[in-house]
């Protein structure tokens, strides 16, 4: 017999260990099953499970378990990412505790330290994924610095370089002055800073006393100005285009150029151009042929390209000095307070410096063309479809991809430099030496490029490098391209697009047929979770408190396409109660002798209620299956929940109590077997969503079973299993009881009151159903009697329509209907007032323009809830007779 209480912690550890030990998660390249492949977005090796992980890995696991049960050869490819900067920082922080830096060790010894750290501490995230119930093929786990993946990285780099698609160039990058490396846009965090806008006057050369005023938030960069831009159609400055200004403090003559980047309506309409220290200025400089002067070193201190008085100064010290000296020269026109967004390194926390350096680049524009076409032609589809627009926007405006990073941990760039700076890109040092010897006509000393590759470079190869490429392995033939990628919208460009580019270039096919973009998990108020706000919900704490299945089911039930999840702990508690309901239903079955019968098939059933529940189950299983196939996980969870809690537990079990307590042994045997069979099928359709409790019940309800639920087949039912007549009959009973309960609730009828129900104008079918199920209706609707109405509708009655019949509930002496009318009218008026207030806010353009998106969304949801409540009360008011 099942224990009274379900204890998730005991069950989860046991079943996960048995699943993993038995190889239940393994793909089988030799099987006849149609392959089904999901690539796990490799979490950072430094990471730990957060709620975003919990959502994406739950969805991937639901898909994997479901397709495994459908007899697909399911490969969920696991792995972790080496996370260059993040991992290096973790190890450097550990060294700092002993007063050491990586420079105390040197590159090779430091890399050894990182590998040591990975061996000891790098498995946290994968252990936590096991707690979530994730079922990837763990023996196939890969790491982006594995030798096999490293070989793939080297081959891709060399081939792209030979094809002219990787090259070196001097361009602006996001430079982190603390970490001393270029970083990607993804690693840049915009912070709102309260600063100033300084207006400086630059003297026009040759026109004594005439100036052009420019405004800047970064006075320190003016020492690197090489031009001033004005709009070519700006009447104020047309005559100045082509003339020169003398750059204050420096004395350099710089031109005034006409460029549409200058906005006549912003500031003075004139813009200082510093091509080496601003991304927009860099483009203006290229268009106008302006010089690029780098005035900073890697620490963001001013270098030797500025006047001697400023050399060596930190950028902010230089700012103060420059402003003071321009003021002394009467060239500071005014200072305005100015709040603006300043890019910061998300790991170092310091302001990022646009910096002109030599870096390695990928010609992303060329690689993007086939990737754009693949989505345009439907080879790869996005779900929801609107994310295709985001993909196209980025891809059609793509810039060269800076792939070099000035750190030590990562894939070192396979380029070697000769004594004169010529470089040789090869897969191995031996090949580079051979190429250099051919170039120079003799053996020479080579120095390897010290930079490593952007982490996203190796991640871009993930769908095929993990399957053995560049070797032509059986896994590569079988599992590429993959079926679906599950990920968040924030890395569509950084990862999804780059996998598309690399997959099409090297595999000549898209890496995945579908990209499912899931929403964000926010707090219950719709705000983004962050430590600073104190609103982070830890999935592991939730699992400890409510069990893994409750968390998984919550996330699935709330994963509506295109809508962020507003997660409240009480929702998880609610679905924990669902798990308890399922457990108690199984105990009820056991206590009433409803045990699984080997080989049982629900055919030839004599009891209407049994034919009804079997057909309802088939409908529910079909809905769950279709919803998962369509990536509508909320609908899948909803269908499973409604059938299990509603149809099975609340209705069927109540309907069959008289049979199980009766004397008809044949009916009892049929009902017990059907009940046990339906419960087994419920475990099947819930298993992808709630794997632990379903596996435990599967085992305990029939310990002699040879197979585990994880390897059972997904239920498939013949069309004939649905009996329309039984469905219509029992649905009528359910709707009648539900209507009576609703009327009682709306009219505040005391729960214990036994009242009459009259049926007005019932047809013959309704009367037949009433006679058949009268006892059930009386018991479950708490009625003293239910009969056809003779004569007029009694006064003080409420009414509801059920098909052709009107349900009449006489309430004289039970409820004061006048008082109820007054109460309902008052509540309706109150809700109408609330709706008017919300409408006024939402129609206020100033409110909508200033309010955060989550506040607007909250107002819309409040309005929708108030509208629904008002409609419900209006219907209750309409139910009152006369």
């Amino acid at each position: 017999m099942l224990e009274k209480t379900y204890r998730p912690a005991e069950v989860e550890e046991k079943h996960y260990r048995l699943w993993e030990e038995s190889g239940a998660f393994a793909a089988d390249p030799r099987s006849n099953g149609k392959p089904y492949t999901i690539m796990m977005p490799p979490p950072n090796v430094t990471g730990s499970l957060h709620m975003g992980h919990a959502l994406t890995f739950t969805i991937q696991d639901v898909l994997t378990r479901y397709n495994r049960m459908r007899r697909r050869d399911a490969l969920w490819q696991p792995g972790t990412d080496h996370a260059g900067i993040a991992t290096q920082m973790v190890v450097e922080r550990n060294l700092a505790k002993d007063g050491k830096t990586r420079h105390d060790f040197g590159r090779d010894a430091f890399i050894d330290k990182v590998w040591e750290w990975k061996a000891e501490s790098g498995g946290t995230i994968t252990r936590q994924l096991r707690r979530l119930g994730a079922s990837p093929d763990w023996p196939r786990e890969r790491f982006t610095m594995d030798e096999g993946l490293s070989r793939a990285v080297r081959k891709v780099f060399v081939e792209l370089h030979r094809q002219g698609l990787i090259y070196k160039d001097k361009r602006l990058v996001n430079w982190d002055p603390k970490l001393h490396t270029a970083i990607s846009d993804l690693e840049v965090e915009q912070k709102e800073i309260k600063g100033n806008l300084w207006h400086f006057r630059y003297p026009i050369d040759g026109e004594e006393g005439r100036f052009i005023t420019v405004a800047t938030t970064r006075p320190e960069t003016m020492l690197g100005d090489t031009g001033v831009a004005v709009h070519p159609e700006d009447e104020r400055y047309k005559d100045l285009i082509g003339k020169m200004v003398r750059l204050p403090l420096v004395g350099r003559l710089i031109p005034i150029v006409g460029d549409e980047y200058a906005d006549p309506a912003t500031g003075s309409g004139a813009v200082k151009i510093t091509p080496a220290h601003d991304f927009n200025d860099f483009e203006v400089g290229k268009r106008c042929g302006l010089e690029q002067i780098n005035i900073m070193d890697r620490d963001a201190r001013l270098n030797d390209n500025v006047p001697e008085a400023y050399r060596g100064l930190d950028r902010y010290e230089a700012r103060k000095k420059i402003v003071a000296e321009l003021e002394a020269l009467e060239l500071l026109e005014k200072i305005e307070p100015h709040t603006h967004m300043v890019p910061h390194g998300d790991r170092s926390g310091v302001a990022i410096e646009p910096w002109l350096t030599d870096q390695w680049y990928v010609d992303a524009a060329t690689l993007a063309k086939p990737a754009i076409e693949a989505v345009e032609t439907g080879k790869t589809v996005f779900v929801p479809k609107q994310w295709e627009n985001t993909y196209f926007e980025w891809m059609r405006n793509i810039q060269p991809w800076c792939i070099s990073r000035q750190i030590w941990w990562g894939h070192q760039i396979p380029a070697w430099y000769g004594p004169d700076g010529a470089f040789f890109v090869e897969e191995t040092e031996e090949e580079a030496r051979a190429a250099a010897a051919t170039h120079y006509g003799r053996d020479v000393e080579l120095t390897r490029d010290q930079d490593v590759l952007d982490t996203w470079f190796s991640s871009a190869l993930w769908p095929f490098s993990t399957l053995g490429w560049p070797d032509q392995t059986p896994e590569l033939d079988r599992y590429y391209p993959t079926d679906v990628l599950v990920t968040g919208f924030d890395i569509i460009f950084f990862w999804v697009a780059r996998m598309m580019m690399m997959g099409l270039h090297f595999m000549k096919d898209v890496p995945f047929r579908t990209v499912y973009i899931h929403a964000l998990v926010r707090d219950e108020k719709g705000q983004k979770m962050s430590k600073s706000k104190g609103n982070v919900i830890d999935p592991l704490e939730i699992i400890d408190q409510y069990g893994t299945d409750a968390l998984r089911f919550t996330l699935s039930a709330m994963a509506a396409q295109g809508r962020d999840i507003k997660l409240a702990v009480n929702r998880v508690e609610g679905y924990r109660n669902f798990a308890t309901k399922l457990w108690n239903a199984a105990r009820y079955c056991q206590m009433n002798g409803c045990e699984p019968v080997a080989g049982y098939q629900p055919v030839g059933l004599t009891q209407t209620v049994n034919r009804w529940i079997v057909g309802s189950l088939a409908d529910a299983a079909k809905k769950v299956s279709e919803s998962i196939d369509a990536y509508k996980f909320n609908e899948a969870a909803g269908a499973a929940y409604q059938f299990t809690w509603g149809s099975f537990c609340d209705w069927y079990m109540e309907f069959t109590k008289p049979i199980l307590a009766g004397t008809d042994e044949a009916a009892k045997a049929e009902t017990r077997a059907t009940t046990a069979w339906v419960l087994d099928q419920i475990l099947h359709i819930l298993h992808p969503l709630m794997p632990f409790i379903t596996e435990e019940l599967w085992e305990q309800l029939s310990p002699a079973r040879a197979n585990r639920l994880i390897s059972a087949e997904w239920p498939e039912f013949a069309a004939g299993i649905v009996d329309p007549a039984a469905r219509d009959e029992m649905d009528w009973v359910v709707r009648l009881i539900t209507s009576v309960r609703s009327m009682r609730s709306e009219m505040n009828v005391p729960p214990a009151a036994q009242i009459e129900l009259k049926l007005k104008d019932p047809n013959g079918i309704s009367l037949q159903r009433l006679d058949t199920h009268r006892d059930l209706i009386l018991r479950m609707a708490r009625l003293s009697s239910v009969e056809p109405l003779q004569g007029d509708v009694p006064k003080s009655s409420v009414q509801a329509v059920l098909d052709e019949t009107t349900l009449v509930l006489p309430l004289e002496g039970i409820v004061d209907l006048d008082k109820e009318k007054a109460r309902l009218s008052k509540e309706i008026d109150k809700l109408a007032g609330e709706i008017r207030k919300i409408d006024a806010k939402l129609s206020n353009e100033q409110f909508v323009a200033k309010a955060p998106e989550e506040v607007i969304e909250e107002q819309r949801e409040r309005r929708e809830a108030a509208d629904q409540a008002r409609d419900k009360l209006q219907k209750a008011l309409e139910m009152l007779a006369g």
Side-chain angles (χ1 to χ4, degrees):
M1 179 62 69
L2 288 168
E3 296 285 338
K4 278 190 175 182
T5 306
Y6 172 57
R7 297 184 178 86
E10 299 171 14
V11 165
E12 290 168 7
E13 189 280 328
K14 174 187 75 173
H15 284 301
Y16 199 91
R17 176 174 44 80
L18 291 172
W19 287 333
E20 194 167 2
E21 287 174 356
S22 68
F25 304 158
D28 183 4
R30 298 162 300 176
S31 79
N32 295 322
K34 184 181 177 183
Y36 180 84
T37 315
I38 295 182
M39 286 288 157
M40 177 185 288
N44 286 356
V45 70
T46 58
S48 58
L49 196 69
H50 56 63
M51 203 55 82
H53 285 137
L55 172 63
T56 190
F57 291 121
T58 292
I59 289 172
Q60 290 170 67
D61 193 56
V62 168
L63 288 167
T64 302
R65 288 177 182 270
Y66 165 70
N67 280 283
R68 194 182 283 132
M69 293 175 79
R70 292 176 68 206
R71 288 297 176 256
R72 299 283 296 271
D73 175 25
L75 169 61
W76 183 12
Q77 172 64 53
T80 50
D81 191 280
H82 64 279
I85 294 175
T87 304
Q88 180 160 317
M89 286 184 68
V90 168
V91 177
E92 287 195 89
R93 279 198 296 267
N94 290 339
L95 295 178
K97 294 173 186 175
D98 299 324
K100 302 277 189 182
T101 73
R102 70 179 189 270
H103 301 288
D104 294 318
F105 291 85
R107 183 174 192 135
D108 291 343
F110 175 75
I111 295 301
D112 289 341
K113 287 284 183 187
V114 181
W115 280 108
E116 286 174 21
W117 175 87
K118 180 193 179 287
E120 294 171 10
S121 309
T124 299
I125 187 71
T126 53
R127 289 192 297 273
Q128 292 170 340
L129 287 177
R130 286 170 165 86
R131 288 208 62 195
L132 190 66
S135 62
D137 192 344
W138 287 118
R140 294 181 183 274
E141 182 179 351
R142 304 303 301 270
F143 179 54
T144 50
M145 292 277 286
D146 285 349
E147 175 47 38
L149 273 66
S150 295
R151 187 159 64 94
V153 167
R154 291 192 297 270
K155 184 174 181 62
V156 165
F157 189 97
V158 171
E159 287 197 14
L160 289 177
H161 179 262
R162 287 175 181 166
Q163 294 162 6
L165 296 171
I166 282 182
Y167 57 92
K168 287 199 80 169
D169 195 9
K170 187 182 286 291
R171 295 176 60 90
L172 279 190
V173 296
N174 296 308
W175 183 260
D176 190 313
K178 181 177 179 181
L179 298 180
H180 296 148
T181 182
I183 62 174
S184 73
D185 290 341
L186 185 66
E187 295 158 315
V188 173
E189 187 177 61
Q190 298 291 340
K191 292 185 179 180
E192 189 174 84
I193 301 296
K194 291 182 178 178
N196 291 311
L197 194 60
W198 287 271
H199 295 254
F200 297 142
R201 297 191 299 166
Y202 286 8
I204 308 295
D205 187 54
E207 298 190 28
E208 189 70 28
R210 192 176 180 190
F211 302 89
I212 188 167
T213 300
V214 298
T216 180
T217 58
R218 305 187 65 215
E220 64 277 13
T221 64
M222 61 88 60
L223 302 178
D225 287 358
T226 59
V228 173
V230 297
H231 195 281
E233 302 302 320
D234 192 333
E235 293 295 335
R236 295 170 295 176
Y237 302 120
K238 267 189 174 181
D239 68 312
L240 290 178
I241 295 174
K243 294 188 177 183
M244 309 292 279
V245 300
R246 190 164 294 278
L247 185 62
L249 307 180
V250 180
R252 185 168 62 246
L253 285 174
I254 61 176
I256 298 174
V257 297
D259 193 278
E260 291 184 354
Y261 170 65
D263 182 0
T266 301
S268 67
V271 186
K272 61 186 281 302
I273 303 299
T274 321
H277 293 283
D278 182 277
F279 288 99
N280 290 317
D281 292 6
F282 180 79
E283 297 301 327
V284 175
K286 280 203 302 183
R287 288 195 294 270
C288 299
L290 301 179
E291 190 180 359
Q292 301 168 347
I293 302 176
N294 192 343
I295 63 166
M296 293 190 193
D297 64 14
R298 67 176 199 160
D299 296 307
R301 291 181 175 276
L302 272 61
N303 61 23
D304 290 348
N305 290 329
V306 301
E308 190 172 351
Y310 305 99
R311 292 174 189 169
L313 291 181
D314 172 79
R315 52 186 165 169
Y316 299 119
E317 294 171 4
R319 175 181 296 182
K320 293 175 186 175
K321 186 176 176 68
I322 287 166
V323 170
E325 295 194 6
L326 287 174
E327 185 173 22
L329 292 168
E330 297 184 350
L331 295 175
L332 174 60
E333 186 171 288
K334 61 180 177 178
I335 303 174
E336 295 177 315
H338 182 68
T339 300
H340 60 131
M341 304 304 289
V342 176
H344 285 68
D346 66 349
R347 301 196 182 278
S348 67
V350 303
I352 293 305
E353 189 62 47
W355 201 43
L356 192 64
T357 59
D358 287 312
Q359 301 284 351
W360 290 92
Y361 289 89
V362 170
D363 178 1
T366 298
L367 291 175
K369 289 174 185 174
I372 292 169
E373 184 187 5
V375 176
E376 287 174 336
T377 58
K379 289 180 182 175
T380 293
V381 298
F382 279 75
V383 179
K385 189 173 177 62
Q386 66 260 29
W387 288 112
E388 290 180 5
N389 296 329
T390 302
Y391 175 84
F392 289 139
E393 175 67 23
W394 279 334
M395 294 291 270
R396 289 168 181 159
N397 296 283
I398 200 165
Q399 296 297 309
W401 172 18
C402 176
I403 55 172
S404 44
R405 298 290 181 267
Q406 290 67 53
I407 57 175
W408 289 354
W409 173 244
H411 293 282
Q412 193 169 353
I413 287 174
W416 285 262
Y417 295 86
D420 59 355
F423 57 83
F424 306 91
V425 174
E426 301 289 347
E427 290 187 47
T428 65
E429 185 172 351
E430 291 74 20
E431 291 170 340
R433 289 188 182 284
T438 300
H439 174 79
Y440 292 109
R442 58 187 172 83
D443 289 339
V444 296
E445 191 71 26
L446 294 181
T447 304
R448 187 166 183 179
D449 195 306
Q450 293 296 295
D451 289 355
V452 301
L453 286 163
D454 176 15
T455 299
W456 297 105
F457 189 89
S458 50
S459 299
L461 317 183
W462 189 253
F464 54 93
S465 64
T466 52
L467 298 175
W469 189 92
D471 294 333
Q472 198 60 39
T473 65
E475 287 81 2
L476 195 62
D477 287 338
R478 183 168 175 78
Y479 299 114
Y480 188 97
T482 70
D483 289 81
V484 61
L485 177 75
V486 177
T487 189
F489 70 87
D490 51 337
I491 55 174
I492 290 175
F493 175 66
F494 296 101
W495 190 44
V496 179
R498 288 164 179 174
M499 284 189 287
M500 288 286 285
M501 291 189 284
M502 293 299 193
L504 283 160
H505 192 77
F506 288 96
M507 297 296 296
K508 309 307 177 189
D509 200 352
V510 294
F512 20 75
R513 300 300 185 201
T514 301
V515 180
Y516 173 74
I517 302 294
H518 61 71
L520 289 176
V521 185
R522 299 180 178 271
D523 72 6
E524 60 186 306
K525 295 178 181 176
Q527 296 186 348
K528 193 171 181 179
M529 292 187 195
S530 70
K531 290 179 182 177
S532 60
K533 290 179 183 174
N535 64 345
V536 173
I537 303 174
D538 185 337
L540 296 172
E541 291 180 5
I542 294 293
I543 287 171
D544 288 339
Q545 189 169 1
Y546 299 108
T548 299
D549 290 324
L551 175 61
R552 286 172 59 114
F553 201 89
T554 303
L555 293 171
S556 301
M558 299 182 77
Q561 288 183 13
R563 294 191 66 176
D564 286 346
I565 292 174
K566 294 183 179 180
L567 184 63
V569 174
N570 61 10
R571 292 295 296 267
V572 186
E573 185 177 5
Y575 289 120
R576 188 274 313 273
N577 296 342
F578 175 53
T580 301
K581 184 84 170 179
L582 178 64
W583 186 264
N584 290 340
R587 289 191 80 241
Y588 169 87
C589 291
Q590 276 192 332
M591 289 187 289
N592 285 277
C594 304
E595 297 176 356
V597 177
Y600 175 79
Q601 290 297 320
V603 293
L605 300 175
T606 63
Q607 302 299 304
T608 303
V609 70
N610 290 336
R611 296 196 300 277
W612 166 72
I613 197 63
V614 165
S616 297
L617 166 71
D619 288 340
K622 182 182 179 187
K623 176 69 173 174
V624 172
S625 186
E626 289 174 346
S627 298
I628 294 176
D629 285 336
Y631 306 102
K632 296 179 178 179
F633 301 98
N634 60 314
E635 294 183 12
Y641 179 94
Q642 288 158 18
F643 176 77
T644 303
W645 191 307
S647 301
F648 184 69
C649 295
D650 283 355
W651 295 110
Y652 177 72
M653 285 186 171
E654 287 298 323
F655 287 166
T656 55
K657 279 180 180 177
I659 299 175
L660 296 177
T663 56
D664 186 336
E665 295 301 323
K668 288 164 72 171
E670 176 186 294
T671 301
R672 285 185 179 124
T674 302
T675 302
W677 181 85
V678 171
L679 179 58
D680 265 1
Q681 306 314 306
I682 287 172
L683 299 181
H684 281 73
I685 65 175
L686 279 174
H687 180 75
L689 301 157
M690 307 176 80
F692 290 110
I693 190 171
T694 52
E695 188 73 84
E696 178 68 9
L697 289 173
W698 178 261
E699 178 186 278
Q700 292 221 30
L701 290 173
S702 184
R705 293 192 224 253
N707 66 314
R708 300 181 64 76
L709 183 58
I710 191 173
S711 57
E713 287 194 40
W714 184 259
E716 296 287 346
F717 305 107
I721 201 169
V722 177
D723 183 333
R727 177 192 60 206
D728 294 346
E729 181 173 331
M730 297 312 300
D731 283 354
W732 183 89
V733 175
V734 169
R735 288 185 293 122
L736 186 150
I737 295 169
T738 301
S739 293
V740 173
R741 286 174 173 176
S742 177
M743 287 191 285
R744 293 181 64 122
S745 172
E746 295 295 348
M747 296 302 117
N748 285 332
V749 175
Q754 296 282 318
I755 56 179
E756 296 179 342
L757 173 66
K758 303 294 185 182
L759 270 57
K760 183 175 181 289
D761 303 326
N763 63 18
I765 295 174
S766 294
L767 288 174
Q768 183 181 350
R769 290 168 176 170
L770 175 61
D771 287 340
T772 303
H773 302 287
R774 186 183 306 274
D775 290 342
L776 275 181
I777 293 167
L778 291 174
R779 175 168 60 88
M780 296 184 69
R782 294 182 182 173
L783 299 171
S784 58
S785 65
V786 52
E787 300 294 344
L789 177 66
Q790 304 295 330
D792 296 332
V793 174
K795 291 183 179 179
S796 301
S797 296
V798 291
Q799 302 175 38
V801 175
L802 178 68
D803 299 338
E804 86 297 336
T805 306
T806 302
L807 306 180
V808 180
L809 212 59
L811 295 178
E812 188 171 8
I814 299 170
V815 172
D816 186 333
L817 293 193
D818 289 335
K819 192 178 286 186
E820 278 303 305
K821 286 180 186 177
R823 178 183 69 83
L824 291 169
S825 296
K826 186 177 179 181
E827 288 293 324
I828 290 168
D829 290 343
K830 183 179 175 183
L831 286 166
E834 187 177 341
I835 289 169
R836 282 194 297 273
K837 285 181 184 176
I838 296 171
D839 285 345
K841 277 186 180 179
L842 293 177
S843 61
N844 184 325
E845 291 181 6
Q846 287 187 329
F847 172 78
V848 173
K850 292 180 181 179
E853 186 181 335
E854 57 262 26
V855 172
I856 301 290
E857 182 63 22
E858 183 186 2
Q859 290 293 318
R860 288 183 179 134
E861 288 179 359
R862 281 182 59 198
R863 200 233 185 262
E864 185 180 349
D867 217 20
Q868 290 173 352
R870 182 179 63 173
D871 287 348
K872 185 179 178 184
L873 292 175
Q874 192 67 47
K875 287 176 184 175
L877 192 59
E878 290 167 3
M879 280 196 298
L880 295 171

